[in-house]
Amino acid sequence: MHHRAIIVFLLLLLSMGLVWFGYSPGLHGGFLFDDFANLPTLGTLGPVDNWPAFWRYITSGTADPTGRPLTLLTFLLDAHDWPADPYPFKRTNLILHLLNGALLYALLARLGHLLGYDNRQGQTAALLGTALWLLHPLLASTTLYIVQREAMLPATCTLAGLLLWLHGRQLLAKSKTAAGLAWSMLGLGGFTVLGVLSKANGAMLPMLAVLIEAIVLTRQQPLRQADAQWAHRLTLFIFSIVPSVAILGYVFWTGLQGVLAGGPVGIRPWSVGQRLLTEPRVLLDYLQLLWLPRPFSSGLFNDQYVASTSWLQPVTTLSAMLAVFGLIGLAWWQRRRYPAPALAILFYFAGQLLESTSIPLELYFEHRNYLPALLMFWPLGLWLADMRSLRTFKYALMLALPLGMVWMTHTRAELWGNVHSQALLWARINPDSARAQTNAAQIEMQAGQPQAAIRRLNKLLVNQPSQVQLAFNLIGARCMTGGIAATDLDAAQLAMRGTPNTGTLFANWFERTLPVAMSGGCPGLTTQGIQKLIDTGLENPKLSAAGPQQDLIYLRGKIALAQGQPDMALADFTRALDLQVRPGMALEAAATLGRAGYPSHGLRLLDHYETVSEKVMKPSFGMPWLHAWVLERQHYWPYELNHLRNQLTLDAKASSVNTSSHSLHPGVPH
């Protein structure tokens, strides 16, 4: 027994060594896509180097009602300010992936024991199931994508929570009621909370526990003592069944409301009903990638994925729906005869419940498979570990499968370590993805190949004229080749007229482009042309909400400021502030006026803010409310606003003195 345990431990270490080898080329890659939308919060309100800054940062999350603070907390292991080096973030992700592998091995070994497999077969199957999951190339797009630590941490919490719950249930079976109840509550209750604080799908832990209870434990580990039965049923009801029913009810209610409402959801081009028709096709695509792995896939950019508009459009919609429900039904029907495959299948679809049903998230992301696929390869491991037949063939597969996975993961990691090659390959795999083509064009421009970027962007812009990311980057590429034509501005105006949302894209492009237009660095690009783009956006009914309107009006004010028209800039800044009264907006606008040499205008803006401060936007429920409470307790905004007011007052006095001095001595050069 001791000898076998040592061998298993060494093999597990060998598997982890192979994982590190497979992933190592990708550790030297850069930040990507949503990394830039999430990680800069490390420096938004200053370096996180003291306790007040820590509490401001940890409550600054906006994703999910919780803000995912546990994920934000782990980013502090890698950096305390922004910009930062991507290597520590990726290294921590890989370490977390290995930790999840160790926890997964413990869970699979425990489940194998509960199902009655002998130690040799159970441990071998657990080792193989863990190794194939750890080494699977599809998971590289989670592990090497820094921001998707938020998809990895719920898996950590789920694995730890299930292990603690199983330990508690074992104690209950031994009539150790108090200890068993405590461990069960910690596992199901405590780690569900931690999982949710990482990402919302951490809430799936209770439902996964219900599946394990129904398929594995009810028959394999019955509880004999009445008090143990009572404690277990109470714990399971409160911490598993009630949360599971609540999640199912939420998903059903969201879907029903979406179907009854009809039409596109927010910025999405599809309705909730169309999403529900589409996701079975997506899930089958995921399963194909899991069971027929390959070195390369579509990667991060899947905005081109075609939504189903009816049961037969595309034609695979109905068959995919039948296949998914058929797999679920078959697994439940055969759960007694084949508990391990049934559990793996039901675990997978339950793990996808929040992100692949009615909640209007984007249609397709590979990282959504990280947690659901935890048990995916365990039944294969059990079959391979059964040496009653095909022994030579199974030994060969035990060697070939992990080695094949290592090769594919290493190949994929090499791509993740080379931003240029990665962008070009993803653009080739996703020819209709505006994100993929824009990303590739930006890489080509950085490499001094603007003509290639122009060809790429023009080709897709013909079929997707409302894609502002294509039109704006085309202007950037044209500027690198000598200037833009009227048709380029026309294309950008057309995009602004039809785009459903610009997010931070337009603001970021504006900040880069306005100085170029002011300096005449791009022939054909003028402040008047940029002004027309803003005015077109203001007329776009899809951008009529207060947020987009505020952003555009504020940018129009910055143009007026750059043209030396402070009164017009102040008017625009004031109008923008009135749309959504926020202290941060007032601070930024007043500071912008001050930096431009108009401190008195900045003071007037702060005065206006004081008159409308009672209309400050109320934070939404959850972490935004807590963040606002933290800032209020720290008197953050009053301090920052008073500090800025004092500085602007000093600057205004100095400006007044200089003006008086020049009027007394007109011969003194300015």
Side-chain angles (χ1 to χ4, degrees):
M1 183 73 69
H2 182 66
H3 179 66
R4 182 186 300 117
I6 292 176
I7 293 176
V8 169
F9 177 72
L10 292 176
L11 288 174
L12 187 60
L13 283 181
L14 175 62
S15 299
M16 292 187 173
L18 289 174
V19 173
W20 193 275
F21 166 76
Y23 274 95
S24 57
L27 295 178
H28 303 283
F31 296 108
L32 287 167
F33 199 34
D34 280 346
D35 289 341
F36 295 105
N38 293 272
L39 297 177
T41 54
L42 285 162
T44 299
L45 298 178
V48 187
D49 55 7
N50 56 69
W51 282 111
F54 170 81
W55 290 114
R56 291 195 298 270
Y57 165 71
I58 210 69
T59 60
S60 64
T62 57
D64 302 339
T66 68
R68 304 175 184 176
L70 186 57
T71 302
L72 295 180
L73 179 64
T74 66
F75 288 142
L76 291 177
L77 296 171
D78 311 307
H80 291 170
D81 201 358
W82 187 264
D85 178 11
Y87 179 83
F89 292 90
K90 291 179 180 285
R91 180 184 57 201
T92 302
N93 274 21
L94 182 52
I95 292 171
L96 182 61
H97 187 51
L98 293 174
L99 172 62
N100 287 341
L103 293 172
L104 178 59
Y105 171 79
L107 178 63
L108 296 182
R110 179 71 182 142
L111 291 175
H113 175 74
L114 288 169
L115 287 175
Y117 292 99
D118 61 69
N119 285 338
R120 184 199 60 78
Q121 186 177 359
Q123 291 175 353
T124 303
L127 184 62
L128 286 169
T130 299
L132 294 178
W133 180 83
L134 275 173
L135 292 165
H136 201 289
L138 183 64
L139 303 187
S141 58
T142 306
T143 307
L144 294 175
Y145 188 11
I146 293 168
V147 74
Q148 288 313 321
R149 190 177 302 175
E150 62 192 16
M152 302 174 73
L153 284 168
T156 311
C157 296
T158 296
L159 290 165
L162 290 174
L163 284 167
L164 293 176
W165 167 64
L166 289 173
H167 176 65
R169 200 183 186 287
Q170 184 180 25
L171 292 175
L172 289 173
K174 295 177 179 179
S175 300
K176 297 179 180 180
T177 306
L181 187 61
W183 284 108
S184 297
M185 292 172 61
L186 176 62
L188 293 180
F191 276 85
T192 296
V193 171
L194 290 175
V196 171
L197 293 178
S198 304
K199 191 179 182 181
N201 62 345
M204 298 312 302
L205 193 165
M207 189 176 295
L208 301 176
V210 169
L211 289 174
I212 293 174
E213 176 71 25
I215 296 173
V216 176
L217 298 177
T218 301
R219 295 181 62 185
Q220 302 298 329
Q221 193 185 46
L223 300 174
R224 306 298 183 187
Q225 300 295 326
D227 57 343
Q229 289 181 2
W230 177 86
H232 173 64
R233 289 172 182 170
L234 181 65
T235 305
L236 198 67
F237 178 76
I238 295 175
F239 294 104
S240 285
I241 294 175
V242 170
S244 298
V245 171
I247 290 171
L248 287 170
Y250 174 74
V251 169
F252 175 78
W253 180 246
T254 302
L256 181 63
Q257 283 188 311
V259 170
L260 292 177
V265 184
I267 63 172
R268 311 298 186 195
W270 35 258
S271 66
V272 169
Q274 290 170 343
R275 190 179 199 276
L276 289 170
L277 289 173
T278 306
E279 285 306 309
R281 293 170 41 225
V282 173
L283 290 172
L284 291 185
D285 282 351
Y286 292 160
L287 289 172
Q288 183 185 50
L289 288 171
L290 285 165
W291 283 104
L292 298 174
R294 50 183 183 265
F296 306 120
S297 63
S298 56
L300 303 187
F301 303 117
N302 295 283
D303 49 303
Q304 82 286 359
Y305 201 92
V306 178
S308 296
T309 55
S310 72
W311 292 98
L312 296 175
Q313 187 62 40
V315 70
T316 55
T317 302
L318 179 59
S319 58
M321 186 78 71
L322 293 174
V324 167
F325 282 108
L327 281 171
I328 294 172
L330 179 64
W332 184 253
W333 179 43
Q334 294 292 321
R335 69 190 186 281
R336 304 294 187 196
R337 187 175 181 185
Y338 302 108
L343 180 60
I345 292 171
L346 294 173
F347 191 102
Y348 178 78
F349 286 113
Q352 293 281 5
L353 185 64
L354 278 181
E355 294 185 300
S356 299
T357 53
S358 60
I359 300 174
L361 306 170
E362 295 201 33
L363 295 176
Y364 190 115
F365 273 127
E366 292 177 357
H367 62 252
R368 292 175 183 164
N369 290 280
Y370 190 86
L371 187 157
L374 286 170
L375 272 59
M376 182 64 65
F377 307 108
W378 177 49
L380 175 61
L382 287 169
W383 179 75
L384 290 173
D386 182 0
M387 290 300 163
R388 290 174 295 181
S389 62
L390 303 174
R391 178 172 299 188
T392 303
F393 175 69
K394 290 179 179 178
Y395 275 131
L397 280 180
M398 286 184 191
L399 182 63
L401 288 176
L403 291 179
M405 294 285 198
V406 171
W407 170 75
M408 285 186 279
T409 298
H410 191 272
T411 302
R412 179 173 289 207
E414 287 181 327
L415 190 71
W416 277 82
N418 187 322
V419 175
H420 187 272
S421 299
Q422 185 184 55
L424 297 184
L425 179 64
W426 282 348
R428 190 159 63 248
I429 294 175
N430 305 296
D432 297 322
S433 166
R435 290 175 184 166
Q437 301 308 321
T438 298
N439 183 54
Q442 290 172 343
I443 293 297
E444 286 169 333
M445 284 187 275
Q446 291 171 13
Q449 301 172 325
Q451 290 291 356
I454 290 170
R455 290 192 295 271
R456 180 183 301 281
L457 296 168
N458 267 329
K459 183 179 180 181
L460 195 57
L461 194 57
V462 172
N463 297 320
Q464 300 187 30
S466 64
Q467 286 288 348
V468 289
Q469 55 191 321
L470 299 174
F472 293 161
N473 279 280
L474 179 60
I475 289 176
R478 292 284 194 195
C479 286
M480 293 179 67
T481 60
I484 66 170
T487 53
D488 299 318
L489 280 175
D490 291 342
Q493 277 190 268
L494 180 61
M496 283 296 289
R497 192 174 295 121
T499 182
N501 184 33
T502 65
T504 60
L505 172 67
F506 184 71
N508 292 338
W509 177 84
F510 177 91
E511 295 293 341
R512 296 192 308 269
T513 307
L514 181 60
V516 176
M518 290 296 298
S519 65
C522 178
L525 181 64
T526 62
T527 54
Q528 290 78 11
I530 298 177
Q531 178 80 59
K532 286 183 179 179
L533 294 180
I534 293 175
D535 292 340
T536 302
L538 289 169
E539 295 169 0
N540 182 350
K542 297 178 182 178
L543 301 178
S544 60
Q549 290 282 304
Q550 184 180 61
D551 293 340
L552 291 170
I553 293 171
Y554 178 75
L555 295 178
R556 190 170 66 183
K558 294 194 76 170
I559 289 181
L561 197 59
Q563 293 174 332
Q565 299 173 319
D567 291 336
M568 187 176 295
L570 176 60
D572 281 330
F573 288 165
T574 302
R575 181 184 168 196
L577 177 62
D578 288 344
L579 286 171
Q580 288 185 331
V581 180
R582 295 181 288 116
M585 174 72 184
L587 191 75
E588 180 184 355
T592 299
L593 287 164
R595 285 194 299 268
Y598 304 103
S600 59
H601 288 73
L603 289 169
R604 288 162 59 187
L605 184 72
L606 291 181
D607 291 339
H608 176 75
Y609 170 73
E610 293 297 330
T611 66
V612 297
S613 59
E614 72 278 0
K615 299 179 182 178
V616 167
M617 287 182 62
K618 301 299 181 184
S620 56
F621 173 75
M623 190 57 73
W625 178 89
L626 184 59
H627 182 64
W629 180 82
V630 167
L631 294 178
E632 183 179 357
R633 286 294 299 268
Q634 294 181 0
H635 305 289
Y636 179 81
W637 290 121
Y639 172 81
E640 293 293 328
L641 290 166
N642 286 335
H643 177 73
L644 178 61
R645 180 180 289 277
N646 291 336
Q647 185 62 54
L648 290 174
T649 301
L650 291 174
D651 292 344
K653 289 180 179 178
S655 177
S656 176
V657 169
N658 289 336
T659 301
S660 299
S661 174
H662 286 305
S663 64
L664 291 173
H665 305 282
V668 178
H670 288 251

